[in-house]
Amino acid sequence: MSSRVVLLGPPGAGKGTQASLIAEGGAGAHIASGDLFRKHLGEGTELGALAKTYMDKGELVPDDVTIRMVLERMEEPDARDGYVLDGFPRTLEQAKALDAALEDQGRGIDAALLIEVESEELVRRLAGRWICRRCQAPYHEAFSPPRTTGCCDSCGGELYQRDDDKPDVVRARLETYERQTAPLVGYYESQGKLARVNGQQSVERVTEDLEAAFGA
Ligand code: ADP
Ligand code: ADP
Ligand code: ZN
């Protein structure tokens, strides 16, 4: 069944891992703002170069360009009935822009799901994360290794470690999350749309809890 879901949570909580599983389960298109920026970066676009200056510092890319990029992606046919937003919105301004755009279509999101994980665990996860250069699927060298070292299970692409997963940038990203994104928890709570899920369980258990929370 298709749904319109927002995944919230700090860097390393498992948003990308879970968004792709929930999307494959039939919720709709997996739309990840970070993946879209990295795609621009890989293609050498102007937007990619702009985004990199913020990503390298663990700061957020400005709202106007981010909102435009994600809302445009949401217009594509695969997202017509449902989507899982991963990493967007990340500021109140983005959340309000999303609500306004959906309201114009007489719609709203169905649920905002917060994946909760302690910060020491986040640091461990990000330090061991490898992602696919081609499809951006995330792996972990200890917690969810690929079948063949250095090679993506789903597309065969080459795995690499993100520059912004280095410890000093991770620290900055966690601070950015607390300052700019954590306030969204209250925003969705006051709309009666927030559900909290314990992210420190196996990948399978987290998926089950998320799907139960939005009624898949
Ligand atoms: P994470 O794995 O930490 O959740 P992402 O891949 O979602 O990371 O994001 C990587 C970087 O891309 C962020 O640190 C930020 O610079 C930029 N970014 C991604 N999504 C957004 C957004 N919604 N608003 C602003 N910047 C974003
Ligand atoms: P986010 O998109 O929120 O930054 P990811 O989905 O990329 O998070 O996950 C961060 C890292 O943690 C990856 O290396 C991933 O393989 C690993 N990971 C994801 N979910 C779990 C889990 N439930 N238990 C252990 N490791 C996990
Ligand atoms: Zn891949």
Side-chain angles (χ1 to χ4, degrees), residues 5 24 30 49 62 64 70 92 108 114 151-152 165 184 195 205 214:
V5 175
E24 276 165 26
H30 174 192
D64 55 347
V70 175
L92 276 174
L114 173 64
C151 188
C152 176
D165 278 344
L184 294 186
R205 288 295 298 275
F214 71 86

Side-chain angles (χ1 to χ4, degrees), residues 18 88 163 173 181:
Q18 295 298 333
F88 180 92
D163 279 344
R173 284 160 62 208
T181 308

Side-chain angles (χ1 to χ4, degrees), residues 83-132:
Y83 39 78
V84 184
L85 296 180
D86 158 11
F88 180 92
R90 249 179 165 94
T91 63
L92 276 174
E93 179 111 359
Q94 292 177 16
K96 287 177 185 162
L98 174 64
D99 278 350
L102 294 177
E103 214 167 272
D104 287 346
Q105 310 163 7
R107 296 179 160 186
I109 63 154
D110 298 323
L113 311 177
L114 173 64
I115 306 180
E116 297 184 295
V117 172
E118 290 167 359
S119 49
E120 306 88 273
E121 172 69 9
L122 296 172
V123 171
R124 273 194 294 275
R125 287 188 184 183
L126 295 173
R129 171 160 70 180
W130 290 76
I131 68 169
C132 175

Side-chain angles (χ1 to χ4, degrees), residues 40-119:
H40 275 279
L41 201 62
E43 288 167 355
T45 72
E46 220 170 284
L47 173 57
L50 173 81
K52 185 173 164 29
T53 63
Y54 296 92
M55 295 167 86
D56 283 349
K57 291 186 284 192
E59 293 172 6
L60 297 183
V61 180
D63 283 330
D64 55 347
V65 289
T66 304
I67 290 166
R68 203 174 322 128
M69 175 184 75
V70 175
L71 292 182
E72 255 174 50
R73 171 66 185 86
M74 290 173 69
E75 303 274 303
E76 287 176 30
D78 65 334
R80 184 163 304 143
D81 297 321
Y83 39 78
V84 184
L85 296 180
D86 158 11
F88 180 92
R90 249 179 165 94
T91 63
L92 276 174
E93 179 111 359
Q94 292 177 16
K96 287 177 185 162
L98 174 64
D99 278 350
L102 294 177
E103 214 167 272
D104 287 346
Q105 310 163 7
R107 296 179 160 186
I109 63 154
D110 298 323
L113 311 177
L114 173 64
I115 306 180
E116 297 184 295
V117 172
E118 290 167 359
S119 49

